[in-house]
Each structure stands twice: as C-alpha cells, then as structure tokens.
Amino acid sequence: MPRRLPCALLVAAALCAPASAGAASPFRGGYVPDQLYDVTYGAATMLPRIVCPTGTRSTERQGDFSFCTGNLVISYQGRVVGTAPFSVRTYDSHALSIPIVRSMRYLFPPRRRVRLHWVARSHDGRGVEAVTSGSFTARNRYKR
C-alpha cells in the first residue's frame, strides 16, 4: 500500500500540470509606451506609438498569429484632440498617424509642449476587452 500513494500523487500532478502550464496571462490591452511624441508640421497629425503586450493570443495554441485591435483616443482637459483605430501584432508596435481635430490645433504652437491624456480600448482575438490609459507630452518642434 505505501507504493500506491506516491504513484497516485504523481498521476494527479501529471494530469494537473498541462492545465496550469497552458493557461494564458490575462489580456492587458494595447498601450502607449513612451512619454514624448512629436506633432507634424502645421499640427496636422500626431505620431504616438502603440504596443500590443506579450501574452496576447487569439487561440489556446502557442505561437499563433495574434493581434490587438481597438481605438486610441487622445484628449486635453476632457476635449478630444484626435482618435484613430489600430491593429498591432503581438510583441510589435506601430506609430499611429492620428489626425488632430482642426479646432484643437491651437494647442501646438511652435516649440510648445502639451501634456495629453490617452485611452486605448482594445480586444484580442478571443474577444477579451481591456481599457488602458495614461498620459504623454506632445511637442511641436517646427518654426512657423
């Protein structure tokens, strides 16, 4: 009887191990990683970078081709400065070209820095949604 107990424990551990090893980390959502971004000439567009976090998966299989898709909204004191959709592959990042709303271009005169707030609403291939937010500084380096 003493031999059966260790064997039973080994079988139970072997059955439980694949379930815990295959469990994915929860989807954290796309995010803007840096703290300083440029505005193009004439304050027409903004160029923030968006990142899809590790662990984003569309299926249970390891190494699947996965994406974060969603919408990035940039605002200043509660007013929308610009918005754009994004679709970024896992472990990758893209610079988005976000058109600035015409009525908000006054915020970016030459050589001025403005602190902006961003909200990224995104989902992975499984339909799991996440909302992340933060802030960054935008600058206009161009002279008139």
Side-chain angles (χ1 to χ4, degrees):
M1 216 191 284
R3 296 187 125 231
R4 289 185 188 167
L5 182 61
C7 290
L9 290 176
L10 287 175
V11 170
L15 291 175
C16 293
S20 62
S25 61
F27 178 63
R28 295 186 317 249
Y31 61 95
V32 177
D34 299 327
Q35 292 297 313
L36 182 64
Y37 291 101
D38 289 333
V39 175
T40 61
Y41 183 77
T45 59
M46 188 175 308
L47 303 169
R49 195 165 56 102
I50 187 108
V51 176
C52 184
T54 60
T56 301
R57 295 187 6 213
S58 58
T59 65
E60 291 296 325
R61 297 184 320 209
Q62 292 286 352
D64 267 356
F65 197 68
S66 305
F67 283 89
C68 297
T69 56
N71 196 23
L72 181 67
V73 178
I74 298 174
S75 62
Y76 176 75
Q77 294 181 349
R79 295 177 61 198
V80 174
V81 174
T83 182
F86 64 88
S87 181
V88 183
R89 188 172 178 192
T90 305
Y91 304 110
D92 202 0
S93 67
H94 291 283
L96 292 179
S97 179
I98 300 177
I100 296 174
V101 176
R102 205 175 268 281
S103 63
M104 297 300 283
R105 291 183 184 173
Y106 75 92
L107 288 173
F108 306 102
R111 296 198 170 96
R112 180 170 178 208
R113 293 174 181 234
V114 180
R115 194 78 176 153
L116 300 171
H117 183 72
W118 61 268
V119 176
R121 290 178 176 82
S122 57
H123 61 87
D124 64 357
R126 298 180 195 173
V128 179
E129 296 182 4
V131 177
T132 54
S133 64
S135 58
F136 64 86
T137 301
R139 69 178 172 187
N140 187 351
R141 297 190 309 176
Y142 298 99
K143 296 179 185 178
R144 286 193 195 230

